[in-house]
Amino acid sequence: MPDQRVNPLSQQDTHCSAPPSGDPRIPAFCRSVWNFLSKDFSITAVISQIYYYADAHTTHTTYPDGLEVLHFSNGQIEKHYPDGKKEITFPDQTVKNLFLDGSEENIFPDGTIVRVQLDGSKIIEFDNGQRELHTSQFKRREYPDGTVKTVYNDGHQETKYASGRVRIKDKDGSVVMDTK
């Protein structure tokens, strides 16, 4: 494949010419700017390497410590850390963290946090203090007052109250045991 680079706009260490769009993302202290026939451009800066994908309107910045940051045109931002962790911030400000071991954590704007474990189970923490655990066998909600309600896959429910009371319902919702 032929080299698509054209002459750099600047080879100065203290100044870079902005591309025709006047993109404000170009850092003040550049070493070089390369324009490509595809209208992409690459900037080698003192503290980072920036590549702009014109067709996708996406900026990819690589820092000396290995951090890579991608800014997409829809407002999504992805950070790829050297240790393998990825952090994705969506336009609605939801943040998804993907960890090297395969687990993930989602933080929603309302304060809800969902953690997905390797076995597929989920832990959901709500900003009101309630917590849910979803497994392949049951779903359990824990309330701040100590009450715990569990719904099993077969449909039966068990509620343990902070007072010590236990109520069990069958899959049809009929009470089969209640220790009032």
Side-chain angles (χ1 to χ4, degrees), residues 29-173:
F29 300 100
C30 296
R31 291 193 179 122
S32 65
V33 174
W34 295 89
N35 283 323
F36 298 88
L37 295 177
S38 64
K39 298 185 181 174
D40 293 359
F41 61 87
S42 176
I43 302 167
T44 301
V46 173
I47 61 165
S48 64
Q49 172 69 39
I50 302 170
Y51 193 93
Y52 179 75
Y53 300 91
D55 287 344
H57 304 288
T58 300
T59 303
H60 182 172
T61 305
T62 304
Y63 294 92
D65 65 0
L67 173 66
E68 295 183 40
V69 180
L70 293 103
H71 290 263
F72 297 92
S73 61
N74 67 355
Q76 179 174 316
I77 300 170
E78 290 188 13
K79 294 179 181 178
H80 299 209
Y81 293 91
D83 66 1
K85 175 187 170 193
K86 293 181 182 178
E87 177 183 292
I88 304 167
T89 304
F90 295 97
D92 71 353
Q93 298 309 301
T94 296
V95 177
K96 177 180 280 214
N97 292 301
L98 302 169
F99 300 100
L100 192 58
D101 67 1
S103 62
E104 68 180 64
E105 175 183 71
N106 298 285
I107 305 169
F108 295 92
D110 69 358
T112 302
I113 300 171
V114 178
R115 291 182 179 90
V116 182
Q117 308 301 315
L118 294 179
D119 63 2
S121 63
K122 292 181 186 179
I123 299 170
I124 305 167
E125 297 176 1
F126 299 96
D127 67 342
N128 63 4
Q130 295 180 15
R131 185 172 181 236
E132 282 191 10
L133 173 61
H134 295 196
T135 71
S136 59
Q137 289 85 30
F138 62 84
K139 292 182 181 177
R140 174 176 295 145
R141 182 170 283 226
E142 301 168 0
Y143 296 88
D145 69 358
T147 300
V148 177
K149 182 174 185 174
T150 306
V151 179
Y152 295 92
N153 286 348
D154 65 4
H156 84 275
Q157 303 174 25
E158 176 182 275
T159 305
K160 294 181 180 180
Y161 297 91
S163 64
R165 175 183 174 194
V166 177
R167 182 172 54 194
I168 298 175
K169 295 181 181 180
D170 65 17
K171 65 179 179 162
D172 298 320

